[in-house]
Amino acid sequence: LVPARFERFLWFGLLACLDTFLYAVTFLPIRAFVALYSLLALALRIRPQEPRSPGSPRNLRPPAFSRAQAYDLARCVVVAAGVGVLRRVPLSRAYHWIRGQNTIKLYVIIGIMEVFDRLLCAFAQDALDSFYLSTRGALETIQNTRKSAVFLSLVTVVTVAHALLLF
């Protein structure tokens, strides 16, 4: 009875991880592309072409740039920065450095990594929440834009540091 429930729990965890991974590699870039289009349309004040059907409205506006779109674009930037940094890490050197350590040193290193993992998880979650809250009115004033840019930089640094720790 217990192993069957445990297996279902493991399958649920696997599917949740798969869902998150597929969102990051498929749906998030599409949403970021739509957000980038909206931002460019807003910046260039592009008016879409009028539709040719007779019953359509004539006063079309460019798509508005929303807070959710800014957040999606920023998440895509963070993922791209993380992938860019991790591609430059020489994995073979890290492997041989770890392999050359004593067993007791490895236990200490693993313990330190677990502590830093928990700290970075908590700090990254707070930084992401602060960034999301700072995107409210980010395009209205220069001060709000700067505040959002600072939080985006902080989120990017923390996320890349956490990825390097776990890599």
Side-chain angles (χ1 to χ4, degrees):
L1 185 67
V2 174
R5 288 186 181 178
F6 186 66
E7 278 187 26
R8 284 193 307 204
F9 180 70
L10 287 178
W11 277 110
F12 174 75
L14 177 71
L15 291 176
C17 291
L18 182 66
D19 178 52
T20 303
F21 175 74
L22 289 176
Y23 174 81
V25 297
T26 56
F27 198 61
L28 184 61
I30 293 169
R31 287 179 59 122
F33 179 73
V34 170
L36 189 62
Y37 170 74
S38 297
L39 184 63
L40 288 175
L42 182 68
L44 300 175
R45 307 240 189 269
I46 296 175
R47 290 211 172 257
Q49 295 179 354
E50 290 192 23
R52 297 181 184 204
S53 62
S56 301
R58 296 195 182 260
N59 54 353
L60 294 176
R61 296 181 184 169
F65 190 69
S66 69
R67 178 180 180 183
Q69 288 175 327
Y71 192 63
D72 289 336
L73 196 58
R75 285 191 297 180
C76 197
V77 166
V78 169
V79 168
V83 168
V85 169
L86 289 178
R87 287 185 72 193
R88 300 187 193 288
V89 174
L91 193 58
S92 63
R93 286 186 187 177
Y95 169 75
H96 288 293
W97 179 78
I98 290 172
R99 189 171 164 230
Q101 299 299 317
N102 295 336
T103 305
I104 297 195
K105 285 184 185 178
L106 285 178
Y107 284 121
V108 171
I109 290 171
I110 290 172
I112 291 172
M113 285 177 60
E114 286 179 0
V115 168
F116 276 116
D117 177 41
R118 290 186 189 126
L119 287 174
L120 285 173
C121 277
F123 188 70
Q125 187 63 42
D126 290 341
L128 278 169
D129 291 343
S130 298
F131 172 69
Y132 183 70
L133 292 175
S134 75
T135 56
R136 181 182 306 144
L139 297 176
E140 294 173 2
T141 63
I142 293 177
Q143 183 181 7
N144 287 348
T145 305
R146 288 182 186 157
K147 184 178 173 183
S148 293
V150 167
F151 277 118
L152 176 62
S153 302
L154 179 68
V155 166
T156 304
V157 168
V158 168
T159 304
V160 168
H162 194 201
L164 283 172
L165 176 73
L166 296 178
F167 197 61

